[in-house]
Amino acid sequence: MLLLDASSSWQIALGLFAADVLVIIPVSCHMLPGPMTPGSRTLIVATLLFALITLATLIALVDHDVDPYPYSTIYALALMVICVEVWFREDPQLINGSRLKGFPLFIFHQPRAAGTKATVPMARYTRVFGAWHAGGVCLCFFMHVLANDFPLAQKAQTSLALGLLWVTWGAINQWRSIYGAAQFCQMGIMFHSLTGLGCGLCGYWMLAFWYSNRTPGSWTGSESVLLGSFALYFLCAAAWFVTQERTEATPDMPMVGLDSKGDRRRLVSGKAA
């Protein structure tokens, strides 16, 4: 039984999300615009600081029995709006930040940089996967909305699936925050990592909600399938991590296209060079 009513949970969610977008992301990105070398003191301190903030926030929210769905729903909605732009534009402004100079998310655009780190226009191959990913983010948002009306037991089970999804996305973004300085603003993507208040916080919060509200007793078959699949992915990722060389990402090569006369030209940020 949640101690806070739905109205209070939504007010907390809105306040936290506003603080993320208006304060935490822009301030942290401008303080440490990067690039930061993997293993450097600056990157380690920044990661640990983000982790401490996320941990303290998580403990406070769980201790006060705040429902994780309002915040996660708002966050999923924001990601959906950002990601579906790839269906309509080869230079999605909300994520690339080409015109707004990175504001407000600073994912592919470093503060005060001349242009975005994303390749514009994006490769057709990349756009296919971007479109598929946008569909997955839509499903994430849809499930958050539906689960709000579920009975507690079913809502808790849904939280397991959503929590594992958020943690998976957070792990991908954690890697990019360390080794992806050539492609991302590191502090911007770190917000969405395992140590950040985006995917990380949503994932841990959802898993805590599942564990606290699931039906007592042994794991159900569906819970076993989800946890077993995630454990297999974790083992495969760990095996890859210890056997492969870890190198920093390199900048994407400029796109080469054809102009109206059929001549090859190099495109940088949507302009012929």
Side-chain angles (χ1 to χ4, degrees):
M1 191 72 174
L2 295 174
L3 296 180
L4 290 179
D5 57 24
S7 176
S8 297
S9 292
W10 277 101
Q11 290 174 8
I12 292 173
L14 289 169
L16 180 57
F17 185 77
D20 292 339
V21 175
L22 299 177
V23 179
I24 295 176
I25 294 177
V27 169
S28 62
C29 289
H30 279 82
M31 289 181 63
L32 296 172
M36 294 177 282
T37 305
S40 66
R41 180 179 299 178
T42 302
L43 181 58
I44 292 173
V45 171
T47 303
L48 291 176
L49 182 59
F50 245 149
L52 289 174
I53 294 173
T54 301
L55 178 61
T57 304
L58 176 66
I59 291 174
L61 294 168
V62 172
D63 282 349
H64 289 83
D65 288 323
V66 182
D67 188 344
Y69 274 86
Y71 178 75
S72 296
T73 301
I74 295 171
Y75 182 53
L77 172 62
L79 294 181
M80 181 181 70
V81 172
I82 291 168
C83 291
V84 299
E85 192 182 357
V86 74
W87 294 346
F88 311 106
R89 298 172 62 94
E90 293 184 330
D91 181 16
Q93 295 297 315
L94 293 175
I95 195 168
N96 285 352
S98 301
R99 295 182 181 177
L100 297 179
K101 304 299 182 183
F103 284 97
L105 300 177
F106 296 101
I107 297 177
F108 291 107
H109 201 296
Q110 220 164 279
R112 295 182 291 273
T116 179
K117 296 185 178 186
T119 299
V120 179
M122 68 178 67
R124 294 178 182 177
Y125 185 80
T126 303
R127 193 174 185 185
V128 169
F129 280 91
W132 285 344
H133 172 67
V137 178
C138 289
L139 177 60
C140 177
F141 170 69
F142 297 159
M143 289 307 303
H144 277 82
V145 174
L146 285 176
N148 272 303
D149 296 327
F150 288 173
L152 184 59
Q154 287 69 44
K155 188 175 182 179
Q157 283 191 313
T158 305
S159 300
L160 172 61
L162 293 174
L164 294 177
L165 175 63
W166 286 124
V167 168
T168 301
W169 281 341
I172 295 169
N173 294 333
Q174 192 75 59
W175 178 269
R176 298 302 176 188
S177 73
I178 298 172
Y179 295 102
Q183 299 169 328
F184 293 91
C185 171
Q186 286 164 286
M187 293 304 295
I189 196 64
M190 189 184 295
F191 174 85
H192 306 280
S193 72
L194 291 175
T195 56
L197 292 165
C199 296
L201 177 62
C202 288
Y204 307 138
W205 199 357
M206 282 287 178
L207 293 176
F209 184 85
W210 161 72
Y211 187 79
S212 300
N213 295 284
R214 66 181 297 273
T215 303
S218 58
W219 290 345
T220 65
S222 58
E223 289 174 328
S224 299
V225 170
L226 264 62
L227 291 170
S229 300
F230 187 81
L232 178 61
Y233 297 151
F234 176 82
L235 291 175
C236 291
W240 181 91
F241 186 79
V242 299
T243 58
Q244 302 296 314
E245 181 182 6
R246 294 183 288 279
T247 59
E248 291 189 73
T250 56
D252 291 330
M253 295 297 293
M255 291 292 296
V256 176
L258 297 176
D259 60 18
S260 59
K261 297 180 180 180
D263 297 327
R264 294 177 67 83
R265 61 177 181 174
R266 185 165 60 92
L267 298 176
V268 181
S269 297
K271 298 179 180 180

